[in-house]
Amino acid sequence: MIQILHNSRCSKSRQCLALIENTGNKFEVIKYLENRLNVLELTELISKVGIAPIDLVRKKEKMWIENYKNKNLSSKELIKIMVQNPILIERPIVINGEKAVVARPIENALKII
């Protein structure tokens, strides 16, 4: 089943959700700001996307800029920071089985749907 890590306050996330709805596929919405991922879940997600943890960070977020921007952080530290502060996780993320993509642009979602 297709899953989307979704933030309803994000226009790109809403657009991606609409795209998935229009495919007619069954899907699950994961409101990751309310139901936080744990370290294992985020680590597995990063592996499915096939990127480094730093590439999943929203680097323009105020929290990142004020607290972490110029620090030399390990992958484990970055994952812990994102688990504690899920607003820092790039969105939307679409998951289909063992594959996942950051849907920016939202058309990236079509690669795995």
Side-chain angles (χ1 to χ4, degrees):
M1 177 184 288
I2 297 167
Q3 299 173 304
I4 177 172
L5 269 67
H6 178 61
N7 176 351
S8 60
R9 298 177 74 190
C10 171
S11 63
K12 294 292 183 196
S13 194
R14 291 191 307 270
Q15 290 171 4
C16 187
L17 180 57
L19 177 76
I20 293 170
E21 288 172 337
N22 288 333
T23 68
N25 291 314
K26 290 185 178 182
F27 64 92
E28 174 186 11
V29 175
I30 300 170
K31 295 181 179 180
Y32 69 98
L33 295 177
E34 297 169 19
N35 302 307
R36 294 179 181 193
L37 301 175
N38 62 40
V39 170
L40 180 60
E41 291 168 330
L42 186 56
T43 301
E44 289 175 354
L45 178 61
I46 290 167
S47 177
K48 287 179 181 183
V49 177
I51 59 176
I54 189 66
D55 296 326
L56 197 62
V57 172
R58 293 179 54 82
K59 296 171 194 77
K60 293 182 181 177
E61 271 302 322
K62 182 178 179 182
M63 178 183 291
W64 176 260
I65 294 166
E66 291 178 354
N67 298 297
Y68 307 107
K69 183 178 179 183
N70 294 316
K71 294 186 178 179
N72 187 15
L73 301 163
S74 70
S75 291
K76 286 184 179 183
E77 290 170 321
L78 287 167
I79 290 169
K80 286 180 183 177
I81 289 167
M82 286 187 279
V83 165
Q84 293 168 352
N85 306 286
I87 194 73
L88 293 176
I89 299 172
E90 188 60 82
R91 60 186 181 256
I93 299 173
V94 178
I95 307 160
N96 192 356
E98 293 303 311
K99 296 180 182 178
V101 294
V102 176
R104 282 186 175 262
I106 63 170
E107 291 79 15
N108 283 350
L110 296 173
K111 295 176 183 177
I112 64 167
I113 295 177

